[in-house]
Amino acid sequence: MSTNALETRQLVKRFGGITATDNVSFTLEQGSRHALIGPNGAGKTTFINLLTGVLNPTSGCVLLNGEDISGLGIHGRVRRGLVRTFQINQLFPTLTVLETLALAVSERDGFGRNPWRPAGSRHGIMKQASALADTFLLTDVLRNIASSLSYGQQRLLEIAVAFASRPKVLLLDEPAAGVPEHDRATILDVLASLPRDVSVVLIEHDMDLVFSFADMITVLVSGSVLTRGSADQVSSDPRVKAVYLGEAEHE
């Protein structure tokens, strides 16, 4: 029996008398494209912060490939393959695309902020950085600084930086937020092309993107799991229509 890529068991997070995450049990199968959706205030951000080690749970646990990582911090989880992007770009605005990707590769390989020092490393790092640029459709802007890129390209660059860490599980926090409509299709195409040995969790408000991308969808409401299922199952669920899609149950 295969091990799930990521799992939570009865995960709880309380802030004083407020329960932000209420006994959430979540399963991400190996190779799955799984969307996490819910209305504002549903607890999505708290849940992602629990997955990534930003917050410690009040109770319950987080497992990565069957290993309990609940006691690990952010960097320990990244080293084990749990990597995320953020709603707001975390880029160095004055670095070029090539420099940004080379830095990400060098950090992954333990070279720190001096990726050129180890003998023979420069060519290998540059080759990997160029390959990442090709995968994420950034080859044409390789020499451009990050701040000069379109917002859609900046989002692609941030995902490329995360992917440089060779994640086993990639958490994408609203990758299409603020991106013009004509660039969203490009982001979706790139995400669809990622290898299936990387399991992906997508947190997103763009429902067209969610339903186009996800194999499975989990709906959070008030810190709890309302339902979990395929895109067809979730989109036709009257409870989801009522609380998330804004449709009355009787319609």
Side-chain angles (χ1 to χ4, degrees):
M1 185 172 64
S2 62
T3 303
N4 291 318
L6 185 66
E7 185 179 354
T8 68
R9 296 178 182 171
Q10 297 182 316
L11 203 61
V12 174
K13 181 61 181 179
R14 297 190 181 96
F15 298 98
I18 298 174
T19 301
T21 304
D22 190 4
N23 284 303
V24 173
S25 293
F26 171 86
T27 300
L28 174 69
E29 288 83 5
Q30 294 282 356
S32 180
R33 273 62 179 134
H34 197 125
L36 180 68
I37 67 172
N40 291 331
K44 301 186 297 296
T45 298
T46 299
F47 182 63
I48 293 301
N49 286 338
L50 290 168
L51 293 179
T52 54
V54 175
L55 295 173
N56 294 318
T58 303
S59 61
C61 61
V62 180
L63 294 91
L64 180 66
N65 292 313
E67 176 190 3
D68 189 342
I69 60 170
S70 305
L72 294 178
I74 297 170
H75 298 296
R77 299 185 193 203
V78 171
R79 285 193 293 270
R80 282 166 173 77
L82 180 60
V83 181
R84 74 173 291 185
T85 63
F86 294 85
Q87 293 181 28
I88 300 174
N89 285 331
Q90 307 286 307
L91 299 173
F92 295 104
T94 59
L95 293 185
T96 67
V97 171
L98 181 60
E99 289 168 340
T100 300
L101 295 175
L103 180 59
V105 172
S106 66
E107 288 281 359
R108 180 200 70 207
D109 292 342
F111 297 152
R113 292 185 177 273
N114 189 357
W116 320 128
R117 185 176 61 189
S121 67
R122 181 183 177 99
H123 176 72
I125 289 172
M126 299 296 283
K127 184 177 180 180
Q128 292 179 66
S130 296
L132 283 166
D134 185 55
T135 297
F136 289 90
L137 305 182
L138 296 168
T139 301
D140 290 343
V141 293
L142 205 55
R143 304 291 178 179
N144 295 24
I145 62 172
S147 61
S148 73
L149 303 179
S150 71
Y151 195 63
Q153 289 172 326
Q154 289 181 22
R155 300 300 285 182
L156 286 171
L157 179 56
E158 186 178 14
I159 300 170
V161 168
F163 199 74
S165 299
R166 291 179 179 160
K168 297 175 183 175
V169 173
L170 181 60
L171 306 177
L172 301 174
D173 195 350
E174 297 195 37
V179 176
E181 187 69 34
H182 64 274
D183 288 336
R184 294 186 184 189
T186 300
I187 291 176
L188 180 60
D189 288 344
V190 170
L191 295 180
S193 72
L194 296 180
R196 281 281 172 168
D197 59 353
V198 179
S199 307
V200 181
V201 178
L202 175 72
I203 304 93
E204 184 55 68
H205 284 290
D206 184 332
M207 298 309 294
D208 289 337
L209 194 155
V210 166
F211 291 138
S212 297
F213 176 78
D215 304 324
M216 295 293 294
I217 299 172
T218 293
V219 184
L220 284 183
V221 175
S222 301
S224 300
V225 174
L226 176 69
T227 189
R228 176 185 188 275
S230 67
D232 287 342
Q233 290 171 325
V234 168
S235 64
S236 62
D237 191 316
R239 297 170 301 168
V240 177
K241 293 179 181 180
V243 303
Y244 189 80
L245 300 179
E247 297 181 24
E249 289 186 287
H250 63 272
E251 290 182 340

